[in-house]
Amino acid sequence: MGKSPDEMMAAILRNLPAKTGRDAAAWTALIKAEGLVEPKACARWLKQAHGLGGATAQVLAARALGGIHDLTPAQRLDKLYDGREALRPIGDRLTALAEGLGAEVTSTVLSTMISFSAGLKFAEAKPVGKGRIDLGLALGRESPPVGPPAVSPLPLVPVKTADPSDRITYRIPLASVDAISGDVAAWLAHAYARTRGGGP
């Protein structure tokens, strides 16, 4: 059975000394000394200046400065969809599809998205404004991406990122629950299968 989001965050904090050479208290002191006050900017700085992964950076920023990680999972979802409640059914449907792929799948609500992992991150549901959710998929760097067999072409959009370690490489914009077709579900399952098979 997969870890809950809170268990994953606790594991990140517990493993900090071995992975980074600093414990949570030392990272908090460093963040405070830098004078950072906004969690998103802090997470960005931790990634760029110290090479931390996205999840680790967000957890540390929230711990040091307060943020979404201080809330319960239900409160995190409410905050994510605050002012864009019409998008919530799309996110709920994507979460159900992702979690239905395997018992080891975990969903973690972050400040700007819901991240889906099965050991490694394979997808994310990211609200964009009030009009859509982007389903981000870890499909490797091939262009066009190698996809599941027998699916219709979808508007797969390459994700532009300055971070080559970011696993999410393509996205599908979704403006309604009805847009989550069988082909969308197939791409999500394909991203999951690539991760379980040890794909890049």
Side-chain angles (χ1 to χ4, degrees), residues 94 113-114 116 121-126 128 132-148 153-161 163-174 183-184 187-188 190-192 194 200:
L94 292 173
M113 71 186 76
I114 305 170
F116 305 114
K121 181 176 180 178
F122 66 90
E124 66 186 26
K126 185 173 187 177
V128 179
R132 74 173 197 263
I133 284 183
D134 281 351
L135 172 62
L137 299 167
L139 297 176
R141 303 281 172 189
E142 301 90 351
S143 180
V146 177
L154 284 172
L156 283 171
V157 181
V159 172
K160 296 178 182 178
T161 176
D163 184 356
S165 68
D166 193 342
R167 292 184 52 78
I168 301 301
T169 51
Y170 288 87
R171 62 183 175 87
I172 302 173
L174 300 166
D183 287 345
V184 171
W187 276 107
L188 180 61
H190 183 62
Y192 164 77
R194 288 182 85 261

Side-chain angles (χ1 to χ4, degrees), residues 96-123:
L97 286 172
E99 292 180 345
L101 292 170
E104 73 284 7
V105 173
T106 59
S107 59
T108 305
V109 184
L110 302 171
S111 58
T112 60
M113 71 186 76
I114 305 170
S115 175
F116 305 114
S117 301
L120 294 171
K121 181 176 180 178
F122 66 90

Side-chain angles (χ1 to χ4, degrees), residues 81 84-95 97 125-128 130-135 154-155 172-182 184-185:
Y81 292 117
R84 45 192 176 194
E85 288 79 6
L87 297 180
R88 189 162 188 160
I90 305 172
D92 289 348
R93 177 65 179 144
L94 292 173
T95 298
L97 286 172
K126 185 173 187 177
V128 179
K130 297 183 179 181
R132 74 173 197 263
I133 284 183
D134 281 351
L135 172 62
L154 284 172
I172 302 173
L174 300 166
S176 69
V177 174
D178 291 340
I180 305 174
S181 64
V184 171

